[in-house]
Amino acid sequence: MLNPQYFRCFRRIICIMETKSPYFSPKKTRNFAKQQHAGLKAIVLQKSVTAEGGTSGINAPVKASIAVPEIKLEQLAPEAPDRKRRQKKKPIKIETSPDRSESCANGFPGERTPTKKDQAPFDDSGIKTEAPALESDGTAKQSKWEPENWRLALDNIRQMRQMMPAPVDTMGCDQFKDDYSVPAKIRRFHTLVSLMLSSQTKDQVNFECMQRLRKHGLTPENVIATDVAVLEKLIYPVSFYKNKAKFINQTSQILVDSFDGDIPDTIEGLLKLPGVGKKMAHLCMRSAWNVVTGIGVDTHVHRICNWLRWVPKETKSPEDTRLALEKWLPFELWQEVNQLLVGFGQTVCPATNPYCNECLNAAICPAKGKHGIRKTPIKREIKTEALEF
């Protein structure tokens, strides 16, 4: 028969938990017991020692041979006396946390101290990050975006342009700068007028109109003296020939009044002329003044740069393409890229049904086959003798 002292000790433990806990519930009792487990165990051991020493408050002595077993509380909450609240209580198991005094030198048992390789930097979201590269002055170094395989694609375009001449090579707007039979001021004016006529017009048509204007007398003074209706007939059939005839007449008047018959030598001055946009201004500075101020982006350059993904994201206008292209393309290629891509778009890569079967970039072009593939051979010869002036 067990000693009644054991049951009194057990009941005292329950009373201590009920009084010290904020309110008696299985959850609170479980948390309280986890925190006070060491203290409870010490109380039981103290009672057992007292029983062995004979100092208990009970008259009958307790035998020293009685061993107090380890207490494992399965259910601490007594059932409520009210029959209406009779509910089946889930058993509450108290598990002790590992003793920190018995932990190994590296921490808790089974825990490994992380090495230097494991201690990688993480951000607030838990994603592994790398320390940014720093410049010489200590500021963060920003990586410049570049398209994939762009140098290989550019070399292939150079090779194709050498094998297949394009209309821009012989009838482009910059062909008039090399005519040394006229003064330099007039040559620059010819370049400006040719660029104004080239908007949404093929080079062959533009070249024919320029030859008729030069035969008529293409100087600012002569253009002012010519009636606008006559200019319209001379530049027909370029696109928007009526508006262009009016713009050429107004521009000639501005050049005579403000620039002594010459064209402006700055982007700001060229943009103030009627009918001159940013593309024309940059091309005119390169062709007329031999100064590179930006990349001239027309419909061919705009289309090919988007097809080859030479822009971080698809652009909606040639001006957006110019801004994106100038951010990563080396400055030494700004003068070359317009002539290369325009001729490439005129011969191998037109807007509809490009010659993908004959293109050297077919293996690396993201747009291959998306706009049709033309199966007829490319025209490799351009005859300027057939043009009517």
Side-chain angles (χ1 to χ4, degrees):
M1 183 174 179
L2 295 176
N3 190 356
Q5 179 67 21
Y6 172 80
F7 295 101
R8 282 196 291 270
C9 180
F10 182 81
R11 183 173 181 78
R12 185 178 177 182
I13 294 171
I14 299 299
C15 292
I16 291 173
M17 294 178 60
E18 291 181 0
T19 56
K20 289 191 177 183
S21 132
Y23 56 90
F24 187 66
S25 66
K27 183 177 179 181
K28 289 291 183 178
T29 304
R30 182 169 64 253
N31 297 336
F32 181 79
K34 284 184 179 181
Q35 299 174 2
Q36 302 294 334
H37 182 70
L40 296 175
K41 191 173 181 180
I43 294 173
V44 174
L45 294 176
Q46 183 179 2
K47 291 298 181 181
S48 63
V49 172
T50 305
E52 291 177 359
T55 59
S56 174
I58 303 175
N59 297 328
V62 181
K63 294 182 180 180
S65 61
I66 297 176
V68 181
E70 185 177 359
I71 299 175
K72 188 173 184 181
L73 302 180
E74 296 290 340
Q75 183 174 357
L76 299 180
E79 294 186 0
D82 191 358
R83 294 183 179 180
K84 295 182 180 180
R85 297 183 179 180
R86 288 180 181 177
Q87 296 179 358
K88 190 176 181 180
K89 303 290 183 179
K90 294 183 179 180
I92 303 172
K93 296 182 179 180
I94 302 177
E95 297 180 359
T96 59
S97 59
D99 191 359
R100 295 179 182 269
S101 62
E102 299 177 358
S103 60
C104 60
N106 292 334
F108 292 103
E111 181 180 353
R112 181 177 64 87
T113 302
T115 60
K116 191 172 183 180
K117 291 183 179 180
D118 299 332
Q119 297 175 352
F122 287 83
D123 57 9
D124 296 338
S125 61
I127 302 175
K128 186 176 180 181
T129 58
E130 295 181 359
L134 300 179
E135 298 282 359
S136 58
D137 56 354
T139 58
K141 189 176 184 179
Q142 297 180 355
S143 58
K144 185 174 70 171
W145 179 88
E146 286 187 358
E148 187 179 0
N149 297 326
W150 72 271
R151 293 188 181 275
L152 176 60
L154 188 64
D155 291 338
N156 291 336
I157 292 174
R158 287 194 186 104
Q159 186 176 350
M160 288 183 285
R161 291 284 283 109
Q162 291 177 357
M163 296 187 299
M164 289 170 276
V168 70
D169 298 330
T170 56
M171 292 174 282
C173 300
D174 58 348
Q175 300 301 315
F176 304 100
K177 66 177 182 179
D178 299 328
D179 187 5
Y180 296 100
S181 60
V182 296
K185 184 190 300 186
I186 304 301
R187 291 201 305 266
R188 290 191 287 267
F189 179 69
H190 288 182
T191 302
L192 176 62
V193 173
S194 178
L195 286 168
M196 295 176 68
L197 294 176
S198 66
S199 177
Q200 301 185 23
T201 304
K202 292 184 177 181
D203 286 333
Q204 297 91 325
V205 177
N206 186 22
F207 188 77
E208 294 178 11
C209 295
M210 283 298 300
Q211 295 299 331
R212 288 195 293 268
L213 286 173
R214 294 180 67 185
K215 188 177 180 179
H216 174 76
L218 189 56
T219 62
E221 294 79 8
N222 197 12
V223 169
I224 296 173
T226 304
D227 189 66
V228 177
V230 176
L231 288 177
E232 293 177 0
K233 293 181 180 179
L234 290 173
I235 66 175
Y236 182 85
V238 299
S239 302
F240 311 105
Y241 65 96
K242 291 186 177 181
N243 289 334
K244 291 179 180 179
K246 180 177 62 177
F247 292 153
I248 292 173
N249 185 273
Q250 295 174 356
T251 298
S252 300
Q253 187 66 52
I254 294 174
L255 297 181
V256 171
D257 297 340
S258 303
F259 299 95
D260 194 22
D262 204 351
I263 68 174
D265 57 354
T266 61
I267 291 291
E268 293 77 11
L270 290 171
L271 291 177
K272 293 180 181 180
L273 301 177
V276 177
K278 292 185 178 180
K279 179 203 77 171
M280 298 180 193
H282 289 299
L283 290 176
C284 188
M285 289 295 297
R286 179 181 62 84
S287 300
W289 295 105
N290 199 22
V291 177
V292 179
T293 56
I295 301 174
V297 178
D298 65 345
T299 179
H300 295 290
V301 181
H302 171 64
R303 179 183 72 253
I304 294 171
C305 286
N306 279 273
W307 285 5
L308 292 177
R309 294 181 184 175
W310 281 9
V311 288
K313 60 181 181 180
E314 185 179 359
T315 54
K316 301 299 182 181
S317 65
E319 180 62 19
D320 295 337
T321 302
R322 182 186 70 84
L323 296 175
L325 201 59
E326 289 179 355
K327 289 182 179 180
W328 66 267
L329 189 67
F331 179 76
E332 58 270 15
L333 299 176
W334 287 15
Q335 181 176 357
E336 180 188 16
V337 68
N338 177 269
Q339 190 83 0
L340 283 176
L341 296 185
V342 169
F344 179 66
Q346 290 176 343
T347 55
V348 182
C349 194
T352 56
N353 298 325
Y355 296 91
C356 295
N357 294 332
E358 301 186 44
C359 181
L360 300 180
N361 287 327
I364 60 175
C365 180
K368 179 186 176 182
K370 295 183 179 180
H371 305 279
I373 298 177
R374 190 171 300 183
K375 298 180 180 180
T376 56
I378 301 176
K379 295 181 180 180
R380 300 176 181 270
E381 186 177 357
I382 301 174
K383 296 181 179 180
T384 58
E385 295 82 2
L387 301 176
E388 296 181 0
F389 303 136

